[in-house]
């Protein structure tokens, strides 16, 4: 009897003589409408017909995975299960707005980070944005200006720049001046017309006055320009300043002449070369007063100390050769 009741609770049992008033449910395919899932009770239309009466207790578990469920939950009709999804329109094809907003925010933050990196500013106000550039021509194209930062390997035991460092800055600005003016040929500071004639520049005299040597980390500004010196000479002046204070650190003036690099003889300035460099001459006195004193000649007897094995740089070798 118990097995029969359990079977009747799960499957519909056809009555041998269903009454005309019996109704079925469209969702369960033939289950009488009078059946209660919590307690199945079938009644005939007439109490005296002697129809089969079945009573069973069929209860579903109250929870599945922590969620309350019922026996009939989750059951759908065949029409609902086979229904097609709604047609795709422009609205339901758009991405999720939250995802789109997150993507836009990510792109904006990345762009802001890159912009802040490009808009870098030095921590020290005395440091320039481009202290290691090749310089520029100022003052109506007549003066060349370049900045240098004193590095640790350019200082001596007293933590100040050596005279060699100062001389290297003078040489570098002189060559960059010629290069920025568009006059640099294939030679060492020679113009195109000088290269055609195998001419080079040599230094015959140089006078430096150092008021103070810069220290490690200082940024110095070097200004240089050229002027005529006699008929066959050229004068180049330098002025070194402290970029932070504006104080003058070093003044330098030099005299240059031309030499034929094959014959090693001095040469006059050709008219073609003078036309190249003449437009850059400045009509101004030298920054260092001319000193007519001559340096005494040194030899093994008059020198205080002697050091051998030194290599003279290229631009000073020309002076020694003259």
């Amino acid at each position: 009897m118990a097995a029969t009741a359990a079977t009747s609770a799960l499957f519909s049992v056809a009555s041998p003589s269903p009454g005309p008033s019996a109704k079925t449910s469209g969702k369960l395919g033939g289950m009488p409408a009078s059946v209660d899932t919590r307690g199945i009770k079938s009644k005939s239309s007439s109490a005296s017909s002697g129809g089969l009466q079945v009573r069973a207790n069929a209860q579903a578990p109250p929870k599945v995975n922590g969620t309350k469920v019922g026996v009939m939950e989750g059951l759908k009709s065949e029409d609902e299960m086979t229904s097609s999804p709604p047609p795709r329109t422009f609205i339901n094809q758009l991405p999720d707005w939250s995802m789109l907003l997150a993507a836009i925010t990510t792109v904006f933050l990345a762009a802001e980070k890159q912009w802040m990196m490009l808009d870098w500013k030095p921590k020290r106000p005395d440091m320039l944005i481009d202290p290691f550039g090749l310089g520029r021509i100022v003052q109506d194209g007549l003066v060349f200006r370049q900045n240098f930062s004193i590095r640790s390997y350019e200082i001596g035991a007293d933590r100040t720049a050596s005279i060699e460092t100062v001389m290297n800055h003078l040489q570098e600005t002189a060559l960059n001046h010629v290069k920025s003016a568009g006059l640099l040929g294939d030679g060492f500071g020679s113009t195109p017309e000088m290269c055609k004639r195998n001419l080079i520049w040599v230094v015959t005299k140089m006078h430096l006055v150092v008021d103070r040597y810069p220290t490690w980390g200082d940024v110095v500004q070097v200004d240089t320009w050229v002027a005529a010196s006699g008929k066959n000479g050229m004068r180049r002046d330098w002025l070194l300043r402290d970029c932070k204070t504006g104080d003058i650190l070093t003044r330098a003036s030099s005299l240059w002449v031309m030499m034929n690099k094959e014959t090693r003889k001095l040469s006059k300035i050709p008219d073609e070369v003078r036309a190249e460099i003449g437009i850059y001459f400045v009509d101004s006195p030298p920054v260092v007063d001319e000193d007519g004193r001559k340096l005494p000649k040194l030899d093994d007897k008059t020198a205080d100390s002697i050091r051998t094995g030194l290599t003279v740089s290229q631009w000073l070798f020309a002076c020694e050769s003259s």
Side-chain angles (χ1 to χ4, degrees):
M1 185 65 180
T4 305
T7 306
S8 300
L10 298 176
F11 302 95
S12 61
V13 179
S15 176
S17 57
S21 62
K23 296 182 181 180
T24 60
S25 174
K27 292 185 179 181
L28 297 178
M31 181 178 289
S34 61
V35 176
D36 188 359
T37 59
R38 293 169 295 180
I40 301 178
K41 183 178 181 182
S42 177
K43 293 182 180 181
S44 62
S45 60
S46 175
S48 61
S49 62
L52 177 64
Q53 294 184 2
V54 180
R55 183 179 181 83
N57 185 14
Q59 294 183 356
K63 292 184 180 182
V64 176
N65 294 332
T67 305
K68 294 182 178 181
V69 297
V71 175
M72 301 304 294
E73 290 182 0
L75 298 180
K76 295 183 179 180
S77 65
E78 184 178 358
D79 295 339
E80 293 176 350
M81 295 178 63
T82 59
S83 61
S84 60
R88 296 182 63 84
T89 62
F90 174 76
I91 299 299
N92 58 23
Q93 289 182 8
L94 292 176
D96 189 4
W97 289 108
S98 60
M99 297 178 60
L100 182 61
L101 181 60
I104 295 175
T105 304
T106 302
V107 173
F108 177 77
L109 293 177
E112 184 181 11
K113 183 178 180 180
Q114 293 294 330
W115 178 258
M116 292 179 64
M117 293 177 63
L118 293 176
D119 193 21
W120 177 85
K121 295 181 179 180
K123 295 181 180 180
R124 289 178 50 184
D126 59 308
M127 294 182 63
L128 302 181
I129 296 178
D130 185 19
F132 313 114
L134 294 180
R136 63 189 186 277
I137 296 180
V138 297
Q139 296 185 12
D140 299 330
L142 299 178
V143 177
F144 180 78
R145 176 172 296 169
Q146 186 171 354
N147 299 324
F148 295 93
S149 178
I150 306 302
R151 300 170 175 86
S152 59
Y153 55 82
E154 295 177 326
I155 62 176
D158 57 352
R159 298 184 180 183
T160 60
S162 61
I163 187 62
E164 180 183 2
T165 298
V166 176
M167 297 294 293
N168 288 336
H169 292 167
L170 301 185
Q171 176 179 335
E172 186 69 13
T173 52
L175 293 177
N176 288 335
H177 185 194
V178 178
K179 182 178 180 181
S180 299
L183 297 177
L184 187 62
D186 58 355
F188 192 72
S190 300
T191 66
E193 292 294 334
M194 291 175 62
C195 294
K196 294 178 182 179
R197 294 163 175 81
N198 294 325
L199 298 176
I200 59 174
W201 288 110
V202 294
V203 183
T204 59
K205 181 187 294 186
M206 192 163 190
H207 189 186
L208 281 83
V209 177
V210 179
D211 297 329
R212 178 174 65 85
Y213 286 99
T215 60
W216 174 41
D218 290 345
V219 179
V220 296
Q221 174 183 293
V222 184
D223 290 349
T224 182
W225 59 92
V226 292
S229 177
K231 294 182 179 180
N232 295 304
M234 181 185 72
R235 190 187 79 242
R236 177 174 287 276
D237 293 340
W238 291 273
L239 198 61
L240 282 72
R241 290 188 178 92
D242 189 328
C243 287
K244 183 178 180 180
T245 62
D247 297 337
I248 296 177
L249 304 179
T250 303
R251 294 168 292 153
S253 184
S254 60
L255 295 180
W256 301 64
V257 294
M258 289 189 181
M259 174 187 289
N260 190 302
K261 65 180 180 180
E262 293 182 354
T263 63
R264 312 299 293 180
K265 294 181 178 181
L266 298 181
S267 172
K268 296 182 179 180
I269 299 179
D271 294 337
E272 293 80 2
V273 177
R274 192 179 297 275
E276 287 179 325
I277 64 177
I279 58 177
Y280 297 98
F281 285 171
V282 177
D283 186 11
S284 65
V287 295
V288 180
D289 295 335
E290 186 173 354
D291 192 345
R293 293 178 301 171
K294 294 183 179 181
L295 295 176
K297 292 184 178 182
L298 299 178
D299 52 24
D300 297 344
K301 297 179 179 180
T302 57
D304 296 334
S305 61
I306 299 176
R307 182 178 177 183
T308 60
L310 297 177
T311 302
V312 183
S313 61
Q314 183 175 359
W315 79 313
L316 294 179
F317 176 75
C319 181
E320 294 292 335
S321 301
S322 61

